[in-house]
Amino acid sequence: MTRQKKRTESPHRRRYKKRTDLLTSPGTLAYVGPEISLKSTVRKVEYDASFCRETLLKKEDLAPPPAGDGVPVTWLNIDGIHEPELIARVGKAYRLHPLLLEDIMNTAEKPKMEDYEDNRIFMTLKMLRIGEGPIPEIIPEHISFVLGEKWLLSFQEEYKGDIFSSVLDRLNASVGKTRKNG
């Protein structure tokens, strides 16, 4: 007689969508990660030493980054990376390589950093948080950044707590060097 252990599911256990991007061309945008039912949001933050303005954008309102001297720093924070059409729009507006966009949407991607010849830096990593429940467990969240001359794009996998809230608070309060240094 063999005893079988009954496996209990953690409330934080991630359920991944079945991969549909296998056997597709490189650069094909397909979300790889747990199912998410919420809509993605895009928050635009513009700032310089004298002001800070925060706006929620619609997909249609995405525009290329500003250029020239005297323009404010622009930060787009995208919450939710599961909508290929939104990620494609951001990529088109900011002239991002399709393989970079593919890495943003793949939550199984390993942490890495790439430096591009046009003074852009791409970084993807895992943010770790402690889950709620009787048995705490560590839950990873896929985060990606693309840094340009006067702009930053940040991509968060989920909505559970905004990791950038303290940065936004400092920008709005003009505390520290962030607004002065760009």
Side-chain angles (χ1 to χ4, degrees), residues 19 21 23-31 84 87-88 91 96-106:
R19 285 194 66 169
D21 65 335
L23 302 176
T24 60
S25 300
T28 301
L29 295 184
Y31 174 66
I87 303 301
L96 302 178
H97 195 280
L99 293 176
L100 182 148
L101 298 175
E102 186 180 30
D103 289 346
I104 289 170
M105 294 188 70
N106 184 355

Side-chain angles (χ1 to χ4, degrees), residues 3-30:
R3 280 197 334 181
Q4 291 182 339
K5 274 187 171 178
K6 184 175 180 182
R7 188 173 179 173
T8 57
E9 282 283 322
S10 164
H12 302 292
R13 179 76 59 204
R14 297 172 150 225
R15 289 182 177 73
Y16 285 83
K17 286 173 66 174
K18 187 175 180 182
R19 285 194 66 169
T20 58
D21 65 335
L22 298 175
L23 302 176
T24 60
S25 300
T28 301
L29 295 184

Side-chain angles (χ1 to χ4, degrees), residues 18-146:
K18 187 175 180 182
R19 285 194 66 169
T20 58
D21 65 335
L22 298 175
L23 302 176
T24 60
S25 300
T28 301
L29 295 184
Y31 174 66
V32 178
E35 294 204 29
I36 297 175
S37 59
L38 300 171
K39 288 253 184 221
S40 296
T41 61
V42 179
R43 182 176 40 223
K44 179 180 182 181
V45 180
E46 297 173 291
Y47 66 89
D48 64 15
S50 62
F51 83 99
C52 181
R53 176 179 43 240
E54 191 174 335
T55 314
L56 277 177
L57 295 181
K58 295 179 182 175
K59 292 177 199 171
E60 310 78 61
D61 297 336
L62 290 171
D69 293 335
V71 296
V73 174
T74 301
W75 171 22
L76 285 187
N77 181 32
I78 295 94
D79 281 325
I81 57 171
H82 58 283
E83 296 181 24
E85 54 282 345
L86 172 63
I87 303 301
R89 276 184 179 268
V90 172
K92 184 176 181 182
Y94 284 78
R95 298 177 304 129
L96 302 178
H97 195 280
L99 293 176
L100 182 148
L101 298 175
E102 186 180 30
D103 289 346
I104 289 170
M105 294 188 70
N106 184 355
T107 64
E109 183 67 37
K110 293 179 179 153
K112 68 178 177 179
M113 184 174 143
E114 295 176 349
D115 192 2
Y116 290 86
E117 67 260 2
D118 56 352
N119 294 329
R120 296 177 185 205
I121 297 172
F122 169 67
M123 183 177 6
T124 188
L125 53 103
K126 303 296 182 206
M127 181 195 70
L128 303 176
R129 63 182 170 87
I130 298 176
E132 300 166 6
I135 303 172
E137 63 181 320
I138 296 175
I139 301 169
E141 181 177 354
H142 185 71
I143 308 283
S144 298
F145 300 95
V146 183

